[in-house]
């Protein structure tokens, strides 16, 4: 059984462009959370999706948006990319209300 | 403010020795959970161990144990009999009452042969 899968693994974008990152949760997990991890820092919570709706949101601007599909997979969209958006983006899945979070390997985004 | 503090940016430990990674937390929520994750260079966050705030006993998972001192608000990770494969970044994290998880800045552990 595959765990959490993210695509692509690496991505290079130009400042001002838009990007979409994808996440497939572990089978049986209905909740997806997204995190941004800048170099040398711990992950920062972006938002969490359940039943195709955003349940929680961290301190990120509206340029960061997401979506969850009926099969529980999720997308993270970032508009008007800034150099500071360069980071590892991690997706985590879990059953709703449980403590555990299973993480994917992340997408490394570089904005030039 | 709710936060996680890891005061050791890096540690060097001889193989087969035990190692303790420090973590202190700050929260006013009565119910919370504490995690430790390992992040190798590949980037994946690997779950190691979990401690609930109401758990009476310290959590253990194989070579990993969590030294939970609630009054001191500390949740140190102890790795017994360290191995070369333990070299990685280690993050302490806390699940708050609103179900968000916040992370510390991490400790880079180097195991020396």
């Amino acid at each position: 059984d595959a765990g959490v899968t993210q695509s692509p693994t690496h991505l290079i974008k130009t400042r001002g462009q838009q990007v979409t990152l994808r996440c497939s949760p572990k089978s049986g997990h209905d909740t997806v959370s997204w995190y941004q991890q800048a170099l040398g820092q711990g992950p920062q919570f972006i938002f969490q999706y359940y039943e195709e709706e955003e349940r929680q949101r961290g301190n990120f601007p509206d340029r960061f948006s997401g979506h969850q599909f009926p099969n529980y997979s999720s997308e993270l969209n970032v508009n008007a990319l800034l150099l500071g958006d360069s980071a590892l983006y991690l997706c985590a899945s879990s059953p709703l209300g449980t403590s555990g979070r299973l993480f994917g390997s992340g997408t490394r985004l570089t904005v030039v | 403010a709710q936060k996680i503090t890891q005061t050791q940016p890096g540690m060097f430990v001889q193989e087969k020795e035990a190692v303790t990674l420090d973590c202190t937390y700050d929260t006013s929520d009565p119910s919370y959970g504490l995690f430790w994750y390992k992040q190798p260079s590949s980037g994946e966050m690997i779950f190691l161990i979990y401690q609930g705030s109401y758990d009476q006993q310290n959590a253990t998972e194989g070579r990993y144990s969590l030294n939970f001192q609630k009054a001191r608000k500390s949740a140190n990770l102890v790795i017994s009999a360290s191995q070369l494969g333990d070299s990685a970044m280690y993050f302490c994290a806390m699940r708050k009452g609103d179900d968000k998880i916040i992370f510390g800045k991490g400790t880079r552990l180097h195991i020396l042969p």
Side-chain angles (χ1 to χ4, degrees), chain A residues 2-109:
Chain A
V4 179
T5 58
Q6 292 186 244
S7 63
T9 55
H10 294 82
L11 200 54
I12 299 175
K13 288 287 190 178
T14 302
R15 189 172 49 182
Q17 285 188 317
Q18 180 263 344
V19 68
T20 297
L21 311 181
R22 296 176 175 82
C23 172
S24 292
K26 178 181 170 61
S27 177
H29 288 187
D30 55 10
T31 303
V32 173
S33 303
W34 288 92
Y35 293 81
Q36 180 195 65
Q37 186 179 15
L39 196 62
Q41 301 293 317
Q44 298 289 317
F45 174 75
I46 303 175
F47 40 54
Q48 182 185 77
Y49 276 84
Y50 171 70
E51 289 191 340
E52 303 178 52
E53 290 192 0
E54 185 181 290
R55 290 186 67 239
Q56 300 273 4
R57 188 177 183 91
N59 188 25
F60 279 80
D62 292 343
R63 298 187 297 109
F64 289 78
S65 63
H67 188 77
Q68 186 179 35
F69 299 93
N71 66 354
Y72 307 128
S73 67
S74 177
E75 289 181 349
L76 164 66
N77 301 292
V78 187
N79 295 322
L81 284 166
L82 305 173
L83 297 180
D85 295 331
S86 295
L88 179 68
Y89 289 84
L90 293 163
C91 171
S93 74
S94 62
L96 181 68
T98 61
S99 299
R101 300 286 191 274
L102 184 64
F103 281 83
S105 297
T107 294
R108 189 165 296 281
L109 172 65

Side-chain angles (χ1 to χ4, degrees), chain A residues 37 42 56-57 99 101, chain B residues 35 37 39 50 98-100:
Chain A
Q37 186 179 15
Q56 300 273 4
R57 188 177 183 91
S99 299
R101 300 286 191 274
Chain B
F35 303 81
Y37 284 91
Q39 188 177 43
Y50 172 78
D98 59 5
D99 205 35
K100 292 179 183 178

Side-chain angles (χ1 to χ4, degrees), chain B residues 12-87:
Chain B
F12 290 82
V13 174
Q14 208 67 41
E15 187 181 9
K16 299 182 184 176
E17 290 185 349
V19 56
T20 298
L21 305 181
D22 295 341
C23 173
T24 58
Y25 61 92
D26 187 17
T27 181
S28 56
D29 292 334
S31 177
Y32 53 90
L34 296 158
F35 303 81
W36 277 91
Y37 284 91
K38 172 183 178 181
Q39 188 177 43
S41 56
S42 61
E44 182 180 1
M45 299 287 281
I46 301 170
F47 167 78
L48 295 178
I49 198 165
Y50 172 78
Q51 179 87 39
S53 58
Y54 294 120
D55 293 342
Q56 296 295 317
Q57 292 188 320
N58 287 344
T60 60
E61 291 284 350
R63 295 187 299 113
Y64 305 107
S65 60
L66 196 152
N67 184 0
F68 182 45
Q69 298 189 38
K70 195 169 184 176
R72 297 180 59 187
K73 293 189 174 181
S74 79
N76 297 341
L77 175 71
V78 180
I79 306 174
S80 63
S82 58
Q83 302 171 357
L84 295 178
D86 294 334
S87 295

